[in-house]
Amino acid sequence: MPKTSHIYDHKVKFCIAGTIFYKIFTAKRSKQTSLTISSYELKEEPIFAPVQLPDLIGELSDLEELKIIGVNLTSLPTSIGKLTKLKTLHLHKNLLSDLPPSFGKLSNLEELDIKNNLFTNLPDPICKLPQLKRLNLSSNPLTGLPDNITKLQHLEELGLSMNVFQGNPPCGKKMPALEWIQLQDNKISSLKRLKNLCLEGHSISV
């Protein structure tokens, strides 16, 4: 990589990190209940360098909605688990491949969107979210789901489109609240009955 390009990437990364820190600091001072950090809102050049979230995010104790979209986020700090009032969390279009164990402490989280990331397996902390109702895992290289996803007894909607999913999706008596699964563009071969099912891009015989 040319030296000038490396310096440019470093400056852009530093600027973005500073902007993110400022937005979080401002949200803390004003006790915001909602915070959005996105590549569109940052108004920077296209983001190529990886970005990390500062530990300060855990001090936003009043936060109920958090959206961090398209900023090449590679990991979440342990302090994310302190956001116990959080109900909605959108982390799509990033570079996440795992979640910290503390993520499972988000006891009031109802909606989680982590589509367009790098998850090859469902992180175990997600299966410890007792109030989760909507989970979007679309556009990740997922091949299947763990058995303990059935612990999500309140899950109503599950997005699994555009993965490399090959197994049977969870449904039936083990997940009584699940009514809607999005499955287009996978490798599903058999299914049980659901109230709503999106299956574009499959060749299934019934």
Side-chain angles (χ1 to χ4, degrees):
M1 178 184 295
K3 185 176 180 180
T4 53
S5 177
H6 176 75
I7 294 174
Y8 172 78
D9 286 347
H10 180 75
K11 287 182 177 179
V12 171
K13 180 180 179 181
F14 181 80
C15 184
I16 292 169
T19 303
I20 291 174
F21 185 89
Y22 176 76
K23 286 179 69 68
I24 294 174
F25 179 76
T26 302
K28 178 187 175 184
R29 291 190 62 183
S30 58
K31 296 184 178 181
Q32 291 178 209
T33 59
S34 179
L35 175 63
T36 297
I37 301 171
S38 72
S39 56
Y40 310 106
E41 196 175 41
L42 290 174
K43 297 180 181 179
E44 299 290 348
E45 296 291 336
I47 302 172
F48 299 108
V51 172
Q52 292 184 331
L53 203 61
D55 288 333
L56 183 65
I57 191 70
E59 297 184 26
L60 304 184
S61 57
D62 295 306
L63 212 58
E64 296 182 7
E65 180 182 80
L66 176 60
K67 297 180 179 180
I68 305 174
I69 303 166
V71 297
N72 277 7
L73 189 68
T74 57
S75 63
L76 296 178
T78 300
S79 62
I80 194 74
K82 296 180 180 179
L83 304 181
T84 54
K85 291 184 180 180
L86 204 62
K87 294 182 178 180
T88 301
L89 179 57
H90 290 190
L91 298 169
H92 53 277
K93 294 184 180 179
N94 283 295
L95 299 174
L96 295 170
S97 60
D98 202 1
L99 298 173
S102 61
F103 194 88
K105 296 180 180 180
L106 301 178
S107 56
N108 287 303
L109 194 65
E110 297 180 357
E111 179 176 334
L112 176 61
D113 187 341
I114 52 173
K115 66 175 178 284
N116 288 106
N117 275 283
L118 301 175
F119 293 100
T120 56
N121 298 292
L122 185 70
D124 185 64
I126 290 179
C127 299
K128 298 178 180 179
L129 302 174
Q131 301 302 321
L132 196 63
K133 296 179 180 180
R134 293 173 292 279
L135 174 60
N136 195 340
L137 301 168
S138 299
S139 299
N140 280 284
L142 284 172
T143 58
L145 294 173
D147 292 338
N148 61 352
I149 194 174
T150 57
K151 292 181 179 180
L152 300 177
Q153 290 293 291
H154 295 285
L155 193 66
E156 299 173 359
E157 300 178 9
L158 178 60
L160 289 170
S161 63
M162 299 182 71
N163 283 284
V164 286
F165 196 89
Q166 297 180 6
N168 292 322
C171 53
K173 294 182 180 179
K174 291 184 178 180
M175 300 191 75
L178 189 60
E179 295 185 349
W180 185 91
I181 297 182
Q182 189 177 33
L183 285 169
Q184 68 261 39
D185 297 316
N186 277 286
K187 298 180 180 179
I188 307 298
S189 58
S190 64
L191 293 166
K192 296 181 179 180
R193 183 183 301 174
L194 290 169
K195 290 185 178 180
N196 292 283
L197 189 61
C198 183
L199 290 171
E200 295 175 12
H202 287 285
S203 55
I204 294 178
S205 58
V206 180

